[in-house]
């Protein structure tokens, strides 16, 4: 399922046209509880300006969005004393994006079996320092 700007669930939530459990709002940013509550306090932070995902996000929108994240994370920590907190952003369907308006997941962590997990395999043995430098250079050359 994908949404266009004119038919965007999160634009409608930020505009108050669809109800949400609002955590925070300012001129540029809206934060609300993820309906799935993967863990207690699971919060979504979105720019009020529509951007499909990270690839379509202008620098100034990204700056204003992320600026609010530390205090929101701190508020979740102070409220529920989680043992940790993950910040997650899914881009495109294969990466798990299901709502096509940029959003950051703030997921407080309460220990093993709390509802969230990510597979994090290491392939350190497959890349030497030269391999890493080659990859870094390839990416660097694409930075616009
Ligand atoms: P993602 O899969 O990264 O695109 O995340 C989209 C998230 O939006 C999911 O975790 C959903 O649970 C959440 N979501 C979908 N609809 C709503 C809604 N109406 N209110 C709050 N969260 C929602
Ligand atoms: Zn939108």
């Amino acid at each position: 399922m994908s949404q266009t700007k004119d038919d965007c669930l999160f634009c409608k939530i930020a505009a108050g046209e669809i109800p949400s459990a609002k955590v925070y709002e300012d001129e540029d940013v809206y934060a609300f509880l993820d309906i799935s509550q993967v863990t207690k306090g699971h919060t979504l932070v979105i720019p009020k300006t529509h951007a499909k995902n990270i690839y379509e996000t202008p620098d100034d929108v990204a700056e204003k969005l992320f600026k609010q994240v530390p205090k929101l994370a701190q508020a979740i920590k102070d409220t529920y004393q989680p043992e940790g907190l993950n910040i997650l952003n899914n881009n495109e369907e294969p990466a798990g994006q299901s709502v096509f308006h940029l959003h950051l997941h703030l997921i407080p962590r309460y220990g093993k079996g709390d509802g969230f997990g990510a597979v994090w395999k290491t392939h350190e043995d497959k890349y030497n320092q030269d391999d890493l430098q080659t990859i870094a250079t390839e990416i660097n050359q694409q930075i616009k």
Side-chain angles (χ1 to χ4, degrees):
M1 187 181 67
S2 75
Q3 297 87 32
T4 65
K5 183 177 175 175
D6 293 333
D7 186 25
C8 172
L9 175 63
F10 285 0
C11 279
K12 288 181 179 155
I13 284 178
E17 292 164 15
I18 288 177
S20 68
K22 181 168 86 174
V23 171
Y24 172 80
E25 179 176 17
D26 64 29
E27 210 180 311
D28 307 298
V29 170
Y30 192 86
F32 59 107
L33 292 187
D34 190 305
I35 204 165
S36 70
Q37 287 299 282
V38 164
T39 64
K40 186 175 185 181
H42 176 189
T43 298
L44 299 175
V45 192
I46 64 173
K48 287 188 173 175
T49 305
H50 181 84
K52 182 185 170 196
N53 55 35
I54 198 71
Y55 304 122
E56 297 187 5
T57 303
D59 289 355
D60 64 319
V61 172
E63 193 177 334
K64 286 170 187 159
L65 179 69
F66 203 78
K67 192 176 171 199
Q68 304 308 330
V69 170
K71 72 180 176 200
L72 293 170
Q74 188 64 52
I76 293 169
K77 182 170 190 259
D78 292 346
T79 307
Y80 294 121
Q81 291 85 42
E83 295 168 25
L85 181 137
N86 290 104
I87 296 174
L88 182 71
N89 161 235
N90 300 324
N91 298 285
E92 307 291 13
E93 262 180 50
Q97 185 174 12
S98 62
V99 177
F100 292 85
H101 176 128
L102 178 73
H103 51 281
L104 305 178
H105 292 261
L106 272 54
I107 306 174
R109 302 301 306 277
Y110 302 99
K112 281 204 169 88
D114 64 358
F116 183 75
V119 179
W120 202 274
K121 282 188 195 162
T122 180
H123 296 115
E124 198 177 334
D125 55 340
K126 295 197 174 78
Y127 296 90
N128 64 29
Q129 196 54 43
D130 286 346
D131 297 328
L132 294 180
Q133 191 53 59
T134 299
I135 295 169
T137 302
E138 284 173 350
I139 297 169
N140 176 266
Q141 286 169 347
Q142 290 299 324
I143 296 175
K144 289 164 185 105

